[in-house]
Amino acid sequence: NAGVTQTPKFRILKIGQSMTLQCTQDMNHNYMYWYRQDPGMGLKLIYYSVGAGITDKGEVPNGYNVSRSTTEDFPLRLELAAPSQTSVYFCASSSIAPTGELFFGEGSRLTVL
Amino acid sequence: QKEVEQDPGPLSVPEGAIVSLNCTYSNSAFQYFMWYRQYSRKGPELLMYTYSSGNKEDGRFTAQVDKSSKYISLFIRDSQPSDSATYLCAMGPGANSKLTFGKGITLSVRP
């Protein structure tokens, strides 16, 4: 089973560039999340979605946008990349919220220079 | 006071040791408690899940929750090199019914 698939795995951006991190899940989960993980800082929630067409901000949404047009896909858009967005980004999904197990992708490692 | 605090580590132990990983929290509304394990350059995976107070055992792993002290622990018996990973505690429901994660502790088990 594929589970949660993220692309790309690695990317280097220049300051001011934009890009989209892709996330797809094949478990028919309604709940999807984007986290960023910085060294020694744990996981910070950027955006989440409770179903197709519904998204909401997490703790650290500034500089990011999301959309959820289908149950399977939850892309994260970075506009005007800044060095502070250098991080590892994880997409996750869950069938039950807030008590359900989160299934994570393998991460997208982004460097902004 | 931060909502969830986790021992910073890193932690290095010899193979076969008993490992104790701990988190404290301040939000008395937290009802469910999880431990995620994250291998290097991988996404976190759920290791243990506990609802409310008490102990839960799964093989060499025991999760313990003490709601009166706002303290949770993960014990690993007979630790193995394959246990070398980062361990994150998580609990909820927090703000907007979301999980709150600890910062994680990196464990290294030496052969």
Side-chain angles (χ1 to χ4, degrees), chain A residues 55-98:
Chain A
T55 63
D56 208 346
K57 297 177 180 178
E59 303 175 68
V60 291
N62 291 345
Y64 308 95
N65 275 301
V66 293
S67 60
R68 184 95 182 270
S69 57
T70 66
T71 299
E72 295 77 20
D73 300 310
F74 191 41
L76 178 71
R77 177 84 176 161
L78 281 72
E79 304 282 2
L80 299 175
S84 60
Q85 293 178 304
T86 294
S87 188
V88 182
Y89 292 84
F90 288 100
C91 180
S93 72
S94 174
S95 60
I96 304 169

Side-chain angles (χ1 to χ4, degrees), chain A residues 10 33 35 37 40-43 45 48 50 56-57 59 90 97-107 109, chain B residues 2 32 34 36 38 40-46 49 51 86 88 92-94 96-104:
Chain A
F10 304 94
Y33 309 83
Y35 290 89
Q37 186 176 40
M41 296 301 292
L43 290 163
L45 182 63
Y48 65 97
V50 301
D56 208 346
K57 297 177 180 178
E59 303 175 68
F90 288 100
T99 61
E101 174 182 0
L102 290 176
F103 293 84
F104 286 87
E106 295 208 335
R109 192 172 296 268
Chain B
K2 293 187 178 176
Y32 52 95
M34 303 177 185
Y36 281 82
Q38 183 179 18
S40 181
R41 296 187 178 268
K42 297 291 186 182
E45 296 176 305
L46 182 65
Y49 181 111
Y51 181 77
T86 295
L88 300 116
N96 296 323
S97 298
K98 297 298 164 288
L99 279 182
T100 300
F101 283 87
K103 291 184 177 182

Side-chain angles (χ1 to χ4, degrees), chain A residues 6-81:
Chain A
Q6 291 182 235
T7 57
K9 287 186 168 30
F10 304 94
R11 182 74 185 268
I12 297 175
L13 279 181
K14 294 182 179 179
I15 294 172
Q17 287 185 320
S18 300
M19 74 161 297
T20 298
L21 300 178
Q22 301 291 343
C23 176
T24 299
Q25 53 95 4
D26 63 359
M27 296 172 284
N28 202 32
H29 287 171
N30 282 327
Y31 303 92
M32 295 189 74
Y33 309 83
W34 273 105
Y35 290 89
R36 61 176 288 173
Q37 186 176 40
D38 301 303
M41 296 301 292
L43 290 163
K44 300 293 184 185
L45 182 63
I46 305 171
Y47 270 95
Y48 65 97
S49 170
V50 301
I54 306 170
T55 63
D56 208 346
K57 297 177 180 178
E59 303 175 68
V60 291
N62 291 345
Y64 308 95
N65 275 301
V66 293
S67 60
R68 184 95 182 270
S69 57
T70 66
T71 299
E72 295 77 20
D73 300 310
F74 191 41
L76 178 71
R77 177 84 176 161
L78 281 72
E79 304 282 2
L80 299 175

Side-chain angles (χ1 to χ4, degrees), chain B:
Chain B
Q1 182 182 7
K2 293 187 178 176
E3 205 167 30
V4 176
E5 304 233 32
Q6 184 170 4
D7 294 343
L11 183 62
S12 180
V13 302
E15 184 174 352
I18 296 174
V19 176
S20 172
L21 307 176
N22 308 298
C23 288
T24 58
Y25 63 95
S26 58
N27 189 342
S28 57
F30 287 154
Q31 292 289 333
Y32 52 95
F33 306 89
M34 303 177 185
W35 287 94
Y36 281 82
R37 179 174 62 193
Q38 183 179 18
Y39 290 115
S40 181
R41 296 187 178 268
K42 297 291 186 182
E45 296 176 305
L46 182 65
L47 181 62
M48 298 288 282
Y49 181 111
T50 309
Y51 181 77
S52 196
S53 284
N55 290 0
K56 184 174 182 179
E57 189 172 319
D58 184 1
R60 296 183 294 108
F61 298 89
T62 299
Q64 190 174 80
V65 174
D66 182 347
K67 291 188 69 180
S68 62
S69 302
K70 297 191 178 68
Y71 191 92
I72 72 170
S73 298
L74 177 70
F75 298 97
I76 307 174
R77 291 185 300 280
D78 186 25
S79 56
Q80 302 295 309
S82 59
D83 296 327
S84 298
T86 295
Y87 292 81
L88 300 116
C89 61
M91 48 196 81
N96 296 323
S97 298
K98 297 298 164 288
L99 279 182
T100 300
F101 283 87
K103 291 184 177 182
I105 183 170
T106 298
L107 170 67
S108 175
V109 181
R110 307 186 302 272

